[in-house]
Each structure stands twice: as C-alpha cells, then as structure tokens.
Amino acid sequence: MIDERRRFYVTTPIYYVTAKPHLGSLYSTLLADVMARWHRLQGQEVMFLTGTDEHGQKIAQAAEQAGKGPQEFIDALVPSFADAWQKYEIGYTQFIRTSSARHKAGAQAFVKRLLETGDVYKSRYEGWYCTPCETFVLQKDQAISTQGDVNVLLCGSCGRATHFMAEETYFFRLSAYQDKLLAFYQAHPDFITPRERTNEVIAFVKEGLKDLSISRTTVSWGVPFPEDPAHTIYVWTEALCNYITALGYGVPSHEVDVARWWPADLQVLGKDIIRFHAVYWPAMLMAAGMKPPRRLLVHGWIKVNQQKMSKSLGNVVDPLQLYATYGADPVRYYLCRQIPVNQDGDFSIEDLEQRITSDLANDLGNLLNRMILLADKYNVFDLPIITTWSVQSLALRSQAWDMVAQFERHMQACEIHLALASMWRFIHAVNAYFHEKQPWKIAAQDKHAFIEVLSATAHSLRTVAVLLWPVMPSKTHELLASLGHRESCSERTLEDLELGTWHHAFLLKKSEPLFVKPQPQEPEESKEKHVEQTAHIAIEDFAKVELHTGTITLAERVAGSDKLIRLMVDFGPLGERQVLTGMGKAHAPEHFMGKQGIFVTNFKPRKMMGLESQGMLLAADSEEGIPALLMPEARVANGTRIK
Ligand code: ME8
C-alpha cells in the first residue's frame, strides 16, 4: 500500500513562545514526527516544518511582564523548543521563526497579493477581543460573568475576560468564500481527520461567515502591513502564512520550491485551532490562487484531571522531566498508544508506567530477552535461512502479514493508536507461539525445530521493529541490532514486509534489556513503613558493630579544616585512640573536652587531612539541627562494650 506520491510535506502549529514547550506542544509535534517517519519509511522525500509564533499582543504582554523587550524575551525561549525536540528525536527538516526576515517578507507578499485580488479592503471594526486566544469573539460565543455591579464578557473558548476594541482595520472578504468552502469540503471528504470534525466545521460555515479583520493599529509587535505601516498584520493571518513562507513564498527564486511542496500533505493541529486552519486558511489560500492543504489531522487535548493542560491553567507537564525519568522512546510510545488521536485523553504517570511495564518491558522486551537467553544457553546465535516451516510457524507468519496490512491501513488514516493496538495483538500472538512451542524443551533433542522457533520469533520481531520505527526510533534500532540486522529503517521500504515471505538469516547478539521497568513510586506513608521494615536486623548483625564508651581527653581543630576536630579518647583497657569528628562547624573543641561519649571502635581506620581516625563519635541532630553527643546516663568505666 505504498503511497504513489514521492513527496510528503507535514507541518505542526507554530507555538507561542510565552513559555517553554509542554506536553501538549510535544504531542502535536510528535504526531507530525511519527507521520513524517512513516512516510520516510515508504521511501518518500519528506519536508517536516515546525517553529515558533513570535508576534502579537500576547507575546508583547508576556515580555513586558518579564521586564524584557519582546525580541530579547523570545530569543531566550526559542532554544528550549529546539532542545526539547532534539531530546525527543523530532526529525524536523525546517524550524521557522516568525520574527525572521524571510517570514516577514513572505507574509507581507501574501497580504499584498490579497490586496491585489481585491479580497482585502479597509474599514472599521468594533468588537470584543480575547488576548490569550488572539481573536475577536462573536457575541454568540461569549459568556457573561457578573463581578460586583459589572457584567464581564468572557471568551467562550478559554473563559477569560474579553475587552472592547474599536479601530480602523483591513478586512479579508471571508464572506465571499462561504460557498466555495462548502463545495471544497464536499469534494474533499478526507480533508479533516477525524471525519466527525468536518460536520462542526460545515455547521460553522453554514451559519454565515463575516469578513475577517486582518490588521491592527494598536499592536506594534508585529509585521508591518504592506503599504500602510500604521497597521500590523493580525498575528493569526501572519502565523498561518508560515506554512508557505518556510518554502520561500514571495521570493521569486523560491517559486519552484513553493510549487514543489505546496499544498501540504498533512497539517497537524489541536482542536482549539481548527477554525483557523479549516476555514480562514483555506479561504485565504483560495483568494491568493493557491490550493488548500490536502489534509488536516485535528487531535484532541491532553488533559490532567479532566482539565485541558495549558500554560495559563498552570497544570502543564514538563516533557524534559519525563525524558529524564523514562527516556524519549517510552514517552513517545505512551503518547501515541494511550491517547486516541481523535479524542481527549488524560495524562497520568500511573498509565505511563503501566504502559512501560506491561507493553514495553513485559510484552516486547521480555520476548527478545527470552529468545536471546535461550540462544545463549544452547549457543545458537546464528540462525540460517529456513526453507520449510511448521504449521504453527506458517500461521504466525500469516498473522504477521495481516498485522502489516492493518497497521498500514491505520497509519494511512493517521490512526496511530489503532495501528499500535493491532501490533500489540500480534506481539501477544508471538508470545503465545513461543510459549506453546516450548523451545527450551526441544533444544537438546531437535536442533532444527529449536532454530525454527527462534527464527520465526526473530522474523516477527524484525517486522515489529521496522513498523515501530516511526514511534520509537532508537529502541527499534537496538532491537534490530540484537537480531544482527543493521538496516537503517529510514532507508528501507515496506515492500519486503508486505510480501510476507520469511527469508532472512539472523545473527543474534547478547544485549541489555530493551526497556527498564519503572520502580513503583511508594506513597510517603508506606515509604516510612518500608524504612521501618528494612530497619529490622538480626542480633548477629548488631553484634558486628563494636561500640565502646570513652572519655575525651583532648580536642583541637585540624589545621586547614573548618569541620574536623581531632580528639584523643581514653578507652580504658583498650588504650588511647585518635578519633576525628566532623562536628567542627557546630561545636568548638571545648564542647567535647572531658565528656564521655559512645564510639564505634571497629571501623577500618580512615585518613582525613593526613590524620588517621580510629573510631567514630556518635551524635544525633537535635531539634534545632545541631548535633548532640550521645552519652551514657551515668558514668561507666571507659572501654565498656555497649550491648
Ligand atoms: O495556538 N493537548 O499556539 P499554542 C494537546 N500560535 N495539544 C495541545 C495542548 C494540550 N493540552 N495544549 C497545546 C497557537 N496543544 C498558535 C498556533 S499555527 C499557525 C499558530 C497544542 O502555543 C495543540 O496543537 O497555543 C494546539 O493547537 C497548539 O499546541 C497550540 O499551541
């Protein structure tokens, strides 16, 4: 099922740089990366664009709050996007910044084109504006909140207060595109994935489209409007242009690139910005004489406790923290598998860890481990090409073949979670096959049958690794390396898997487990219990530690150290010993003089600042955090053993 077009252009939304990227930004970018890799796997040339949205009131306000100029503010934040994408192996081919000269010139050229076609005219706008969403809010989309005696009009999308604005503005004649848009949706039923969302869009367009204000006189942090520098281009109009300015729109020498890549094959976005991409953007492109994108992948929201994860709600999950704890591939897998692309999904650490433990470590990782362990035990690493297969192996091969077809179908439809579900059904089947065949029992008597089971398992794992590469680029390379296959997934095609023939030889390699199971996080309370439990030791263990009483006869600071104090201690029959203590910051030497303390006396002597310590003085932190010496209640003979 190889796509006959040889090129694939995929984009992500460009993110507002008001803060570092969060899990929601990663999610859109990851979906685009998986689709980009999926098309690379088919041997297509891929253009993958992502970037940052750097103009408008929202950015200007955020910069002001941070006490910085807008350019300085965004310049400091943009590297955090590139860094996160690099850690998560996002293989974009271009990163666009809307403050770049190329983008600004391209956006101006696009608006100029709309002026020339007569689809942009100057008039006056009055309405309610939501700065966080950077959009005018129609009356029907507003909610009213009464605060004291005042009614505040809230944005229907984000629930925050709107403010009234009246200004001279340029309008885009959106109303003229109502019928053309409806005809376009009808002619392209696959324009929006998932299809259900098309109905929302059609209903919105059918209600009637008003002309769109596309300039501001009150926002200076933006791209100057062509031929009227008192205005800046409305941030959304300008931002949408990034998808073509990145190709070189407006630069005569780049016309060929625009023609080569546009229309985009896939634009990934969250459902919050569907209207901009499914209505305004296609209409503006039509007005400029260009085609709308081929397809939009509109995904749901990642939520935390049923609420959308967002910067303004302060409930964002930091992708870098997840990366540090679990690594990139397990998080990539979790996001693709757990959250259905077409729905909202709740993020939880428990689900993430559960997926890593059961799907990755148990189902996939253990299968590889068990095979390699057996290969090692019977010293059979070299698996030659098999020409005759048992009935069960043939059945497994045909399951593999079916899975490949299902997987491809789902991926072509951008149903990544369903593609993974069908793959895991197959992985379960491979585990069942391995279990039924009991290769550990036949290894000694029937070497041929033993090798056949390993080979069928290796073929299955190779199929899994190749298809899974778009989702877990590193782990699948490790998996292939353990099978002795060093093929680079990015260069291979699916044809071999589609044929379904098993004709490979393998050279198995001993390797580290593919996935590490996360250690369960214990609640604080049970952690304490755990400490109590592990604190139980046998009396013989205690007997190993020799504790004696001793009287301090000398205490002085060790030269060159503000911590160490040298003590001479009288241990009675055990003699006199030198003990160093690190309590010099809390206590002066006089504090120790003449006191009888308890010492560990059988530690291996240890040198500190050139002096040997032959014991350890016991102390415990007081409530004020100052070490208090542990002493016998009554004076006892020096050198008495504590039992
Ligand atoms: O809207 N779950 O930028 P933005 C899933 N600059 N995806 C989420 C998410 C969540 N909780 N939160 C954010 C903008 N996203 C404009 C876009 S494009 C020409 C201009 C993702 O930084 C999702 O894709 O607010 C959403 O559409 C996008 O980030 C919004 O990012």
Side-chain angles (χ1 to χ4, degrees):
M1 212 210 276
I2 290 177
D3 201 326
E4 55 308 330
R5 295 183 61 248
R6 303 312 298 163
R7 273 190 295 278
F8 183 74
Y9 178 27
V10 58
T11 68
T12 72
I14 47 171
Y15 305 103
Y16 288 128
V17 268
T18 45
K20 291 178 181 173
H22 58 84
L23 203 64
S25 348
L26 173 65
Y27 184 56
S28 304
T29 316
L30 172 62
L31 293 180
D33 186 55
V34 171
M35 293 315 292
R37 286 176 188 273
W38 174 244
H39 284 267
R40 283 190 185 120
L41 196 55
Q42 295 172 63
Q44 290 179 306
E45 187 186 354
V46 169
M47 162 84 131
F48 173 8
L49 174 70
T50 189
T52 41
D53 194 351
E54 306 183 359
H55 287 129
Q57 214 166 331
K58 186 181 168 109
I59 304 282
Q61 279 180 1
E64 202 182 314
Q65 274 164 18
K68 289 185 176 173
Q71 191 68 51
E72 184 198 357
F73 177 71
I74 53 182
D75 284 350
L77 274 173
V78 168
S80 63
F81 284 82
D83 175 49
W85 301 163
Q86 189 242 328
K87 289 201 162 73
Y88 277 95
E89 297 202 45
I90 304 293
Y92 58 84
T93 55
Q94 216 190 119
F95 190 102
I96 189 161
R97 295 188 54 177
T98 58
S99 63
S100 64
R102 178 182 180 148
H103 170 77
K104 289 196 263 192
Q108 285 176 323
F110 186 76
V111 172
K112 201 157 175 241
R113 170 99 185 111
L114 301 186
L115 280 163
E116 284 160 6
T117 60
D119 277 307
V120 167
Y121 63 94
K122 197 170 179 177
S123 184
R124 216 182 138 68
Y125 191 90
E126 288 192 351
W128 295 87
Y129 196 74
C130 172
T131 305
C133 295
E134 290 282 20
T135 188
F136 282 104
V137 183
L138 301 177
Q139 209 171 4
K140 69 177 180 55
D141 292 333
Q142 287 173 344
I144 299 177
S145 150
T146 309
Q147 296 175 6
D149 298 339
V150 192
N151 278 345
V152 180
L153 292 169
L154 305 181
C155 167
S157 172
C158 74
R160 279 167 289 194
T162 57
H163 62 276
F164 189 75
M165 272 175 54
E167 60 176 317
E168 181 193 76
T169 184
Y170 284 90
F171 280 96
F172 167 61
R173 223 178 281 281
L174 181 64
S175 54
Y177 286 86
Q178 182 164 338
D179 293 340
K180 287 180 191 138
L181 283 169
L182 291 171
F184 173 76
Y185 303 139
Q186 198 174 17
H188 300 87
D190 287 331
F191 174 53
I192 301 173
T193 298
R195 270 193 185 200
E196 308 90 83
R197 295 213 190 271
T198 312
N199 301 336
E200 288 165 34
V201 170
I202 291 178
F204 172 74
V205 174
K206 277 189 174 163
E207 265 178 40
L209 294 176
K210 289 214 168 80
D211 289 351
L212 197 69
S213 160
I214 60 158
S215 77
R216 295 283 178 277
T217 51
T218 47
V219 179
S220 59
W221 181 240
V223 177
F225 204 82
E227 291 157 22
D228 195 346
H231 291 246
T232 51
I233 306 175
Y234 169 44
V235 64
W236 259 106
T237 309
E238 182 228 308
L240 287 164
C241 289
N242 90 87
Y243 302 130
I244 53 174
T245 61
L247 304 174
Y249 182 90
V251 185
S253 58
H254 283 289
E255 268 171 26
V256 43
D257 298 316
V258 180
R260 185 171 146 81
W261 291 104
W262 194 260
D265 296 274
L266 187 67
Q267 301 212 261
V268 179
L269 51 128
K271 65 179 184 181
D272 49 334
I273 53 177
I274 187 170
R275 235 176 244 181
F276 294 97
H277 286 80
V279 181
Y280 308 155
W281 179 225
M284 287 192 290
L285 285 165
M286 286 175 185
M290 295 175 79
K291 286 188 179 160
R294 287 199 162 88
R295 189 184 215 178
L296 306 180
L297 170 57
V298 184
H299 63 75
W301 285 338
I302 300 186
K303 296 187 161 186
V304 179
N305 298 327
Q306 308 297 321
Q307 268 196 314
K308 185 191 173 198
M309 179 187 300
S310 79
K311 288 167 262 188
S312 48
L313 285 171
N315 60 354
V316 294
V317 174
D318 179 4
L320 293 191
Q321 255 176 22
L322 295 183
Y323 168 82
T325 314
Y326 306 101
D329 276 359
V331 178
R332 286 176 65 111
Y333 171 76
Y334 161 79
L335 289 174
C336 289
R337 175 75 203 268
Q338 183 80 19
I339 298 169
V341 186
N342 52 344
Q343 289 167 28
D344 295 346
D346 236 20
F347 168 83
S348 89
I349 289 283
E350 292 74 30
D351 289 341
L352 167 63
E353 296 196 342
Q354 169 67 21
R355 286 282 176 201
I356 298 175
T357 301
S358 75
D359 298 11
L360 299 181
N362 290 350
D363 297 342
L364 181 55
N366 267 356
L367 179 62
L368 175 71
N369 269 358
R370 284 197 289 162
M371 180 178 75
I372 303 276
L373 280 176
L374 272 186
D376 188 29
K377 185 166 177 193
Y378 296 99
N379 199 21
V380 179
F381 287 99
D382 214 336
L383 307 180
I385 294 173
I386 305 263
T387 44
T388 44
W389 295 96
S390 68
V391 176
Q392 293 99 321
S393 298
L394 288 175
L396 186 67
R397 189 177 75 177
S398 108
Q399 277 176 291
W401 196 63
D402 286 348
M403 184 275 284
V404 173
Q406 274 179 30
F407 191 91
E408 288 188 345
R409 227 181 10 255
H410 287 308
M411 289 300 279
Q412 295 302 113
C414 302
E415 296 162 343
I416 302 170
H417 61 298
L418 295 181
L420 291 174
S422 63
M423 171 168 292
W424 250 259
R425 278 195 296 277
F426 173 65
I427 294 174
H428 290 158
V430 187
N431 273 299
Y433 163 87
F434 197 82
H435 189 70
E436 263 169 41
K437 282 289 207 172
Q438 301 192 321
W440 52 92
K441 282 200 179 156
I442 53 176
Q445 336 58 307
D446 188 347
K447 195 153 182 194
H448 174 78
F450 177 72
I451 289 178
E452 191 212 317
V453 177
L454 296 199
S455 179
T457 309
H459 274 98
S460 302
L461 283 173
R462 174 178 172 270
T463 307
V464 167
V466 171
L467 292 179
L468 211 48
W469 174 75
V471 175
M472 292 197 283
S474 289
K475 291 293 174 187
T476 49
H477 270 290
E478 283 177 37
L479 175 52
L480 283 172
S482 307
L483 303 176
H485 276 233
R486 294 231 163 260
E487 54 210 339
S488 158
C489 288
S490 51
E491 282 160 20
R492 55 172 311 102
T493 67
L494 298 179
E495 279 163 18
D496 182 45
L497 297 185
E498 284 168 352
L499 287 175
T501 39
W502 281 0
H503 55 246
H504 289 278
F506 295 91
L507 183 59
L508 305 183
K509 291 205 169 54
K510 283 204 250 178
S511 45
E512 292 292 306
L514 265 188
F515 300 100
V516 181
K517 287 186 196 177
Q519 293 307 311
Q521 298 279 321
E522 293 175 42
E524 285 306 309
E525 206 187 335
S526 73
K527 253 188 213 164
E528 279 163 22
K529 277 190 200 143
H530 188 63
V531 170
E532 268 173 33
Q533 275 171 16
T534 54
H536 291 295
I537 54 166
I539 187 79
E540 303 83 62
D541 295 322
F542 177 64
K544 286 183 199 155
V545 183
E546 287 183 19
L547 297 167
H548 288 97
T549 52
T551 298
I552 300 166
T553 55
L554 181 138
E556 61 182 20
R557 289 201 177 273
V558 173
S561 168
D562 55 352
K563 236 170 79 181
L564 285 183
I565 290 184
R566 173 178 166 265
L567 310 173
M568 287 308 292
V569 186
D570 175 5
F571 285 104
L574 300 177
E576 193 172 55
R577 289 189 183 191
Q578 173 173 279
V579 172
L580 299 179
T581 171
M583 289 185 258
K585 275 191 178 169
H587 299 297
E590 303 78 68
H591 181 78
F592 300 90
M593 275 302 289
K595 288 194 173 142
Q596 189 174 49
I598 299 172
F599 296 80
V600 181
T601 50
N602 62 341
F603 275 143
K604 195 168 153 208
R606 192 171 151 220
K607 271 202 165 171
M608 287 177 269
M609 305 288 284
L611 297 170
E612 189 174 274
S613 182
Q614 300 154 336
M616 186 177 87
L617 174 59
L618 296 188
D621 276 354
S622 69
E623 281 175 1
E624 290 83 39
I626 298 167
L629 304 192
L630 302 188
M631 301 160 85
E633 190 190 10
R635 196 125 191 125
V636 294
N638 286 334
T640 306
R641 175 95 191 254
I642 292 161
K643 290 185 262 186

